[in-house]
Amino acid sequence: MSGTLSTRGRAALLAAFLAAWVAGSVLGAGEHETAGAQPLFQIEPAHAEFVPALTGDQPIYILVLGSDARPGEEITGQRADSIHILAINPAKGKATIAGFPRDSWVNIPGFGTNKINAAMTLGGPDLVVKTVEELTGLTMDYWALTWFDGFRSMIDQIDGLVVDVPFALSDDSAKAYFEPGVQRLDGKSALAFARDRHDLPAGDLGRSENQGLLMVSALTQFNKEFDSDPSRLLWWLGSFMRNSRSSLPMDELMSLAFTGTEINPKKVVNIVMPGGSAMVNGLSVVNLDQTQLQAISADLADDGLLKKGNIPPSPNAPLLPAG
């Protein structure tokens, strides 16, 4: 990557790092006591032939992926079970998080129809980018890749993550037991929150929304902690560096961290692409609502933000308090 990033461009990239950091929490069926040698996340340009213009006057699109790789497995060769578009409007300090259910039944370029999470197994992050771009008509600027191992320890390194849990959760499979309200989650609890789906009315759609909530919570906490004590920046940056892979130099990472406070967490819209359950050849899949998918995608193409009429209902709506 060449050239000098604008202040707002650096803020946008830090938001991508925060999103990727949180997305790593949802992956894997088992738990591991220590982080492996592989990085927790990596961010790269989505297209080698061009470098996005981070001038602040154009939206920036990052495809945030979570691999379900286990220790010793190649991260890019496993399924992408967490898939979110992070669309950032640097000029307005706003963003949109749009999640895709992992069982979405879609066309994977060159391979035919399959669950969207199979795209990374078939062709790595580049093929997931192509798949999402074909679905939405959007051009991704970056992809950010995460995996499971090490998430709990990184949460603990920053003394936990403050989350406003919107409703009670009880999922024996994920070991997720929560009462609603603001609480500081340690790494183990944050992982359980992110993996919970069996007690949600829309299953993985609701889980995807909760993953987005953790991304917003991370950005909120970063801003609050930096405002009250700028030295906390070092805790966050240290956690990033111990668990990341990036071609960006240290001074640029520091600049990203300092400018990340320009993204207003209260102006981040968190949605999941709507769809309905179906069976195809004995497989349980999600058929995306094509009308809503196209409307949301066209709206995001304009400025990275959604008009009120294009924001779909929350898949967790039946669990949310009235009013």
Side-chain angles (χ1 to χ4, degrees), residues 27 37-42 65-70 72-80 120-121 124-125 143 145-148 245:
L27 307 171
Q38 301 192 76
L40 180 61
F41 66 85
Q42 179 180 359
L65 307 173
S67 167
D68 69 355
R70 307 301 194 270
E73 295 179 333
E74 173 56 44
I75 298 175
T76 60
Q78 306 304 313
R79 294 174 301 176
M120 195 158 74
T121 303
W143 57 259
L145 177 63
T146 73
W147 73 307
F148 173 73
R245 177 185 293 159

Side-chain angles (χ1 to χ4, degrees), residues 63-66 78-85 98-109 111-136 204 207-208 273 283-288 290 293:
L63 188 62
V64 182
L65 307 173
Q78 306 304 313
R79 294 174 301 176
D81 275 358
S82 176
I83 303 172
H84 294 78
I85 293 175
F100 288 83
R102 65 180 180 177
D103 291 337
S104 298
W105 193 245
V106 304
N107 180 62
I108 298 177
F111 293 90
T113 309
N114 206 331
K115 292 184 179 183
I116 194 171
N117 66 354
M120 195 158 74
T121 303
L122 296 169
D126 290 340
L127 185 56
V128 189
V129 168
K130 290 179 181 178
T131 301
V132 171
E133 289 184 338
E134 181 179 276
L135 274 175
T136 64
D204 196 55
R207 186 180 80 151
S208 182
M273 294 295 186
L283 295 175
S284 176
V285 304
V286 173
N287 285 327
L288 296 174
Q290 294 299 313
L293 171 64

Side-chain angles (χ1 to χ4, degrees), residues 254-273:
M254 289 293 291
S255 296
L256 288 170
F258 275 115
T259 57
T261 55
E262 293 186 17
I263 303 298
N264 186 343
K266 294 181 179 180
K267 296 182 179 180
V268 178
V269 174
N270 176 31
I271 70 160
V272 179
M273 294 295 186

Side-chain angles (χ1 to χ4, degrees), residues 137-174:
L138 299 170
T139 300
M140 298 297 109
D141 295 306
Y142 297 92
W143 57 259
L145 177 63
T146 73
W147 73 307
F148 173 73
D149 216 23
F151 174 77
R152 290 180 302 171
S153 63
M154 187 162 64
I155 290 283
D156 292 335
Q157 288 167 18
I158 59 165
D159 299 330
L161 183 64
V162 176
V163 179
D164 188 355
V165 178
F167 42 75
L169 295 171
S170 180
D171 182 350
D172 291 337
S173 178

Side-chain angles (χ1 to χ4, degrees), residues 222-271:
F222 175 83
N223 286 348
K224 286 184 176 179
E225 293 190 6
F226 179 76
D227 288 344
S228 64
D229 180 7
S231 69
R232 287 293 293 177
L233 173 71
L234 300 178
W235 287 80
W236 285 78
L237 189 61
S239 184
F240 292 157
M241 294 304 297
R242 281 188 294 271
N243 296 281
S244 67
R245 177 185 293 159
S246 176
S247 59
L248 299 176
M250 174 62 75
D251 61 342
E252 195 161 310
L253 287 173
M254 289 293 291
S255 296
L256 288 170
F258 275 115
T259 57
T261 55
E262 293 186 17
I263 303 298
N264 186 343
K266 294 181 179 180
K267 296 182 179 180
V268 178
V269 174
N270 176 31
I271 70 160

Side-chain angles (χ1 to χ4, degrees), residues 3 10-11 23 36 67 89 107 154 177 180 209 215 217 226-227 253 308 310 323:
R10 289 171 172 167
S67 167
N89 186 311
N107 180 62
M154 187 162 64
Y177 310 104
E209 182 177 80
M215 295 180 195
S217 298
F226 179 76
D227 288 344
L253 287 173
K308 186 175 181 179
N310 286 324

